[in-house]
Amino acid sequence: MPAARESLLDAAFTALARRPWSAVRMVDVAATAGVSRQTLYNEFGSKDGLARALVRRAADRYLAGVERALAGSAEPCERLTAVAEWTSSAARDNALIRAMLTGCWSERLPAPPLAAVPSSSAVPAQRRADGPLPAPCDFVRIVRDRAVTALAAGAATPVDAAELAHPCELAVRLALSCVAAPPGEGGVAELVRAVVPRQAV
């Protein structure tokens, strides 16, 4: 991603942490990033385009964290536990990720439509942002499928991917429930280990 685009997204995210999206001004985002307002419009097209790009970046960062969690421990149950812990912490630390995973968009956040919007942008990253954005059910499917792929590839003996799908989806759905209602002592890891026995994965 070009440096100017990344700087603009950082500036918009910082502004969003301080005030509701409706009060975030494009001119302020451009000034904070140290670029002209025209550069901002060239990159995103509009404030709605900027909102879609912010949400797309948050989704990409969340899924990159899932990949890192799946690449960790050799123990399948621990990989799923790491995914669940990452999901919980990412949602706690980033309001956009929390909204995407739960579908609960507060009035403080941009809430772009999840369906694709017409894009005339010459910027490839913006054309991608203008495409469909993932809904909560999409995240369940994407994370489950990535977990199944990672665990099947790392298995010492051949495994049936269909058999892995159930414990993987269970871990993802449990993590999402912890986003909505944070667990007490022991946290999400203890819950995942309790309901996804090591022999199930």
Side-chain angles (χ1 to χ4, degrees), residues 93-114:
D93 297 341
N94 187 315
L96 286 174
I97 291 176
R98 181 181 178 85
M100 284 187 298
L101 293 176
T102 63
C104 298
W105 297 84
S106 80
E107 65 279 354
R108 290 191 53 85
L109 298 175
L114 297 179

Side-chain angles (χ1 to χ4, degrees), residues 13 53-63 94 96-97 100 139:
F13 187 76
L54 265 178
V55 171
R56 170 57 65 192
R57 182 174 78 162
D60 290 346
R61 287 183 171 182
Y62 167 68
L63 292 172
N94 187 315
L96 286 174
I97 291 176
M100 284 187 298
F139 281 110

Side-chain angles (χ1 to χ4, degrees), residues 114-137:
L114 297 179
V117 297
S119 182
S120 59
S121 178
V123 179
Q126 189 58 37
R127 287 197 304 272
R128 182 169 179 266
D130 289 339
L133 296 171
C137 61

Side-chain angles (χ1 to χ4, degrees), residues 138-161:
D138 297 322
F139 281 110
V140 170
R141 177 185 48 77
I142 292 166
V143 176
R144 178 203 63 209
D145 291 351
R146 289 184 183 191
V148 167
T149 299
L151 297 182
T157 58
V159 294
D160 182 1

Side-chain angles (χ1 to χ4, degrees), residues 19-172:
R19 62 184 71 91
W21 183 249
S22 60
V24 172
R25 297 180 339 142
M26 297 288 271
V27 65
D28 296 334
V29 171
T32 300
V35 301
S36 70
R37 194 167 50 158
Q38 188 58 53
T39 297
L40 174 58
Y41 280 99
N42 288 347
E43 198 65 43
F44 301 101
S46 65
K47 189 174 179 183
D48 288 341
L50 177 60
R52 291 186 71 81
L54 265 178
V55 171
R56 170 57 65 192
R57 182 174 78 162
D60 290 346
R61 287 183 171 182
Y62 167 68
L63 292 172
V66 167
E67 293 291 344
R68 286 190 301 274
L70 288 169
S73 168
E75 183 67 41
C77 185
E78 291 308 310
R79 287 182 177 188
L80 292 180
T81 300
V83 168
E85 289 178 314
W86 162 248
T87 297
S88 181
S89 68
R92 182 181 57 246
D93 297 341
N94 187 315
L96 286 174
I97 291 176
R98 181 181 178 85
M100 284 187 298
L101 293 176
T102 63
C104 298
W105 297 84
S106 80
E107 65 279 354
R108 290 191 53 85
L109 298 175
L114 297 179
V117 297
S119 182
S120 59
S121 178
V123 179
Q126 189 58 37
R127 287 197 304 272
R128 182 169 179 266
D130 289 339
L133 296 171
C137 61
D138 297 322
F139 281 110
V140 170
R141 177 185 48 77
I142 292 166
V143 176
R144 178 203 63 209
D145 291 351
R146 289 184 183 191
V148 167
T149 299
L151 297 182
T157 58
V159 294
D160 182 1
E163 286 181 20
L164 281 177
H166 180 69
C168 289
E169 183 162 336
L170 184 61
V172 174

